[in-house]
Amino acid sequence: MAHSHDDHHHERPRDLTRNQDLVLQTLNHAEGPLSAYDILDKLREDGLRAPLQVYRALDKLVEQGLAHRLESLSAFVCCADAGCHDGARTAAFAICSGCGRVDEFADPEVVERLAAWAQEKGFGLERTTIELRGRCARCLGSSTP
Amino acid sequence: MAHSHDDHHHERPRDLTRNQDLVLQTLNHAEGPLSAYDILDKLREDGLRAPLQVYRALDKLVEQGLAHRLESLSAFVCCADAGCHDGARTAAFAICSGCGRVDEFADPEVVERLAAWAQEKGFGLERTTIELRGRCARCLGSSTP
DNA sequence: CGGTGAAATGTTATGACATAACGCTATCGA
DNA sequence: TCGATAGCGTTATGTCATAACATTTCACCG
Ligand SMILES: [Zn+2]
Ligand SMILES: [Zn+2]
Ligand SMILES: [Zn+2]
Ligand SMILES: [Zn+2]
């Protein structure tokens, strides 16, 4: 059981519920991104039955920066950078078309440039999506270059 | 019939077919991004009946840089920057959650930083998605700031 | 002219992703 | 204890995208 003993959970939003914890663990153990339905399939034996149960958990996880949605894939990964866990950090993702693996990184300079553009245009920036598609070094090295 | 008189269409790949032209004009006249099904609805009276007709046209338009897919919206806009029309250019998009309008721009420095990251990691970069979400100056100015 | 191959088209069916709407339950502070 | 808030479970539905197959169009060439 998650979050049961040892903490008084007095209004700690960082405390995960059962479903949230199940979904996060599933993402954690996955090699690459999973769709909500992939996650659902892996959690049927734990009692989950409907997509909404997964989507609701994902919403919270993404909100807290513990997971990310990859827009260009309509799929989710667990966060690989503690810096995101406050929720605000802007991350970038390199997604390999070959093996499906995702590399999360942060480039402050890129973020700063985009923020500057927004500033200049009076655009109230709330969220930024940066996704690179291509083939990772491993995939380039091994097959049909 | 589109593209019939006045041009000899001798193997110009930049030459749009009837469906491609219809879809592009629809995007052109729209205020903001349209989903493929939005486009389909607007083109029923022109004889289009199935989503695939629209998706196929969109594929070609995106390929040629005449339109862009906004991943975070699952929708499409016509390109606002002739620099894209060779297909290779990396554009960024600021999408307003208030009015839905989209502002396309290019930041060479951002592109260069991302390319440098890819270079360093041996990642074979093929395509880059950059999307900013927030509220445009107009929407911030007018309501509940 | 008539054949040929590539690309585009039209159509039906299906798959994949996501949310609306409802009612119930657990928890916590006043 | 009561009311508020957040989470949960379920059904139904909505939205986005592609598979598969038959047909049409048209530049090209013998
Ligand atoms: Zn992260
Ligand atoms: Zn790879
Ligand atoms: Zn463009
Ligand atoms: Zn706006």
Side-chain angles (χ1 to χ4, degrees):
Chain A
M1 306 300 163
H3 79 94
S4 44
H5 68 123
D6 192 27
D7 64 343
H8 298 179
H9 42 55
H10 46 85
E11 198 45 294
R12 286 261 316 278
R14 196 47 67 75
D15 216 357
L16 299 183
T17 66
R18 169 181 153 84
N19 286 0
Q20 288 162 21
D21 195 57
L22 285 169
V23 169
L24 184 56
Q25 291 322 313
T26 303
L27 286 176
N28 238 312
H29 296 136
E31 289 278 300
L34 298 177
S35 76
Y37 282 76
D38 290 338
I39 296 170
L40 177 57
D41 285 342
K42 289 178 188 289
L43 290 176
R44 292 217 187 262
E45 60 184 13
D46 294 281
L48 270 68
R49 308 177 139 270
L52 252 184
Q53 297 176 279
V54 175
Y55 280 110
R56 289 200 273 228
L58 284 169
D59 281 348
K60 291 299 176 185
L61 293 173
V62 168
E63 202 175 299
Q64 297 180 33
L66 298 175
H68 299 287
R69 175 185 162 84
L70 301 176
E71 303 287 354
S72 63
L73 241 40
S74 294
F76 301 82
V77 286
C78 71
C79 176
D81 181 344
C84 294
H85 296 12
D86 54 8
R89 167 86 138 257
T90 293
F93 302 89
I95 304 166
C96 178
S97 319
C99 62
R101 254 177 276 260
V102 174
D103 196 347
E104 173 174 354
F105 66 100
D107 186 327
E109 173 111 3
V110 166
V111 172
E112 200 265 322
R113 290 284 298 174
L114 294 174
W117 181 93
Q119 178 76 24
E120 182 190 326
K121 297 289 187 180
F123 185 85
L125 185 53
E126 286 163 4
R127 191 155 47 87
T128 302
T129 299
I130 304 173
E131 295 178 18
L132 279 46
R133 303 299 300 272
R135 304 199 134 233
C136 74
R138 280 176 53 168
C139 286
L140 284 178
S142 60
S143 70
T144 67
Chain B
M1 308 299 164
H3 79 93
S4 44
H5 67 122
D6 191 29
D7 64 342
H8 297 178
H9 42 57
H10 47 84
E11 198 44 295
R12 285 260 316 276
R14 196 47 66 78
D15 216 356
L16 299 182
T17 66
R18 169 181 152 83
N19 285 0
Q20 289 162 20
D21 196 56
L22 285 169
V23 168
L24 184 57
Q25 292 322 313
T26 304
L27 286 176
N28 237 312
H29 296 137
E31 289 277 301
L34 298 177
S35 77
Y37 281 76
D38 290 339
I39 295 170
L40 177 57
D41 285 341
K42 289 178 187 287
L43 290 176
R44 292 217 188 263
E45 60 184 13
D46 294 282
L48 270 68
R49 308 179 139 268
L52 218 55
Q53 297 175 280
V54 175
Y55 280 110
R56 289 201 274 230
L58 284 169
D59 281 348
K60 291 298 177 188
L61 294 174
V62 167
E63 202 175 298
Q64 296 181 31
L66 298 174
H68 299 287
R69 175 186 162 85
L70 302 176
E71 303 288 354
S72 63
L73 241 40
S74 293
F76 301 82
V77 286
C78 70
C79 176
D81 181 345
C84 294
H85 296 11
D86 54 7
R89 167 86 138 256
T90 293
F93 303 88
I95 303 165
C96 178
S97 318
C99 61
R101 254 176 277 260
V102 173
D103 196 348
E104 174 174 354
F105 65 100
D107 186 326
E109 173 112 4
V110 166
V111 172
E112 201 265 323
R113 291 284 299 175
L114 294 174
W117 181 93
Q119 178 76 25
E120 181 190 325
K121 298 288 186 181
F123 185 85
L125 185 54
E126 287 162 5
R127 189 156 48 86
T128 302
T129 299
I130 303 172
E131 296 177 17
L132 278 46
R133 303 298 300 270
R135 305 199 134 232
C136 73
R138 279 176 54 168
C139 286
L140 283 178
S142 59
S143 71
T144 66

